Amino acid sequence: MTKKIAVLAGDGIGPEIMAEAIKVLNVLNGQMNLGLEFENGLIGGAAYDVHGSPFPQPTIDLVKKADAILLGAVGGKKWESLDISVRPEKGLLGLRSVLRLFSNLRPAILYPQLANASSLKPELVSGLDLMIVRELTGGIYFGQPRGIRILESGEKQGFNTLVYSESEIRRIGHSAFKIAQKRNKKLCSVDKANVLECTELWREVMIEVGKEYPDVELSHMYVDNAAMQLIRAPKQFDVMVTTNMFGDILSDAAAMLTGSIGMLPSASLDANGKGMYEPIHGSAPDIAGKGIANPLATILSAAMMLRYTFNLSVAADRIENAVNSALNANVRTADIFSEGMIKVSTSQMGDAVVSALQNGAI
Ligand code: IPM
Ligand code: MG
């Protein structure tokens, strides 16, 4: 059976890192006869330049008929002054929303080879393996009403709405508890229930959902404390579940614990396992076109795609192991480079992963 993958490279370093992920998938496809088929589409600023929209109709049609989507990154200086409704980021938000990709999995894993690249002491982060489950299609990102209005006094006022219905909280709750069951059976729900009614409800519903998962130990933490604990003692966490905006912020913090945001993949899933896979770093316009970006987060996103949408866990393991072998071979892109290592370009890093696959190092 063929597996249709929509490839949306996007902006900035997107095309460079995507080329490496496709290179790796093509090799694996040939080796294992996976039946992967790729079709390219435009998103973000690249789509705006051609169609005047960051998420144009041809891309909507493409992602709807695809089984999975692999995305690079969106955004850049060039489009920053556009109206917010057509900025590149809207393309990403539109994609999440149209496909109802409510469950965003953001693992933060520290590769032992990179322990020195973390901003924390090695003993605080060695062995770190945590998963942030971020609600992705609700909360303040999508709540209505929103906008900038002019008050009677003539002063401008910006406003957004934080809103979650019980059903939205319940479904992300189930997602997170199921993931916790497959890991260490510990789930920490992050909210601001001491101040925000919306997240008071979040906590109530999480407790209710938790009754269906008696094997999982549920705890709660306010978001300010969670941010502090992530930096103080990150290994106390296994799975964290939180709202759209808190998840946005905490996942960047968690990423840095691992040494480089350039290493971290993500999956955004709908209720049926269809998913969009992307590195959690952005389009990094400052280094775009230089061939120095780290492609590993995108390559690892491709592995997540094989695992979560296509249930090809052996193939996913092979990619993850090949990344590990590449790191063992001491090749490093600039973001994870340290003394004594071999500095390589984006495509050389892709080649290192490919050669690990070809050497059957796994
Ligand atoms: C992320 C990004 C996006 C978000 C932006 C680019 C819209 O920061 O995926 O974390 O805020 O969700
Ligand atoms: Mg973010």
Side-chain angles (χ1 to χ4, degrees), residues 37-55:
E37 272 180 11
F38 305 102
E39 196 173 330
N40 293 314
L42 294 171
I43 195 155
Y48 177 83
D49 287 347
V50 176
H51 297 280
S53 156
F55 189 39

Side-chain angles (χ1 to χ4, degrees), residues 190-201:
V190 177
D191 60 39
K192 189 72 187 175
N194 51 343
V195 177
L196 304 172
E197 290 82 352
C198 181
T199 67
E200 192 184 351
L201 179 68

